[in-house]
Amino acid sequence: MLDSNMFKPFSFQIALFFGPDFNLQPLAIATLIKDKLGSMFSVEPSTIPYPPNAPIPLEAPKVILQGDSNGQIIVSSLRADLILNLKSEL
């Protein structure tokens, strides 16, 4: 028998995929998401420095925004991932 306690999601992920001709500005995207969800993310986005001329995979994160236990935003050249953790009382 199924009951409501058997399925209690604790997090979910939304991925935005960008086309190859999209002019991506990872910090601007992370900042826009933070502006919309500001109450969840109390810290500023951090950028990840890579050495000059280093071959960087397109999926390598460029900007990370961590919101304590609320979730995180990770932006790379190809996609932006928004991962949100639900409150335990759900």
Side-chain angles (χ1 to χ4, degrees):
M1 173 157 188
L2 298 175
D3 70 35
S4 63
N5 292 324
M6 293 180 72
F7 179 72
K8 286 194 173 184
F10 60 91
S11 69
F12 65 93
Q13 178 176 351
I14 299 169
L16 304 173
F17 294 92
F18 309 112
D21 57 340
F22 182 71
N23 184 15
L24 180 68
Q25 297 174 351
L27 187 56
I29 290 173
T31 302
L32 286 172
I33 294 172
K34 181 184 182 300
D35 289 346
K36 295 290 183 186
L37 302 173
S39 62
M40 297 181 69
F41 299 101
S42 59
V43 296
E44 292 300 314
S46 60
T47 58
I48 300 178
Y50 293 104
N53 301 324
I56 302 168
L58 293 176
E59 288 287 322
K62 293 189 175 204
V63 177
I64 295 179
L65 177 59
Q66 187 76 35
D68 300 325
S69 62
N70 291 327
Q72 61 185 346
I73 299 168
I74 302 170
V75 182
S76 72
S77 293
L78 294 178
R79 63 192 279 173
D81 292 302
L82 173 60
I83 302 163
L84 299 175
N85 298 320
L86 303 175
K87 302 293 182 194
S88 60
E89 61 265 11
L90 292 179

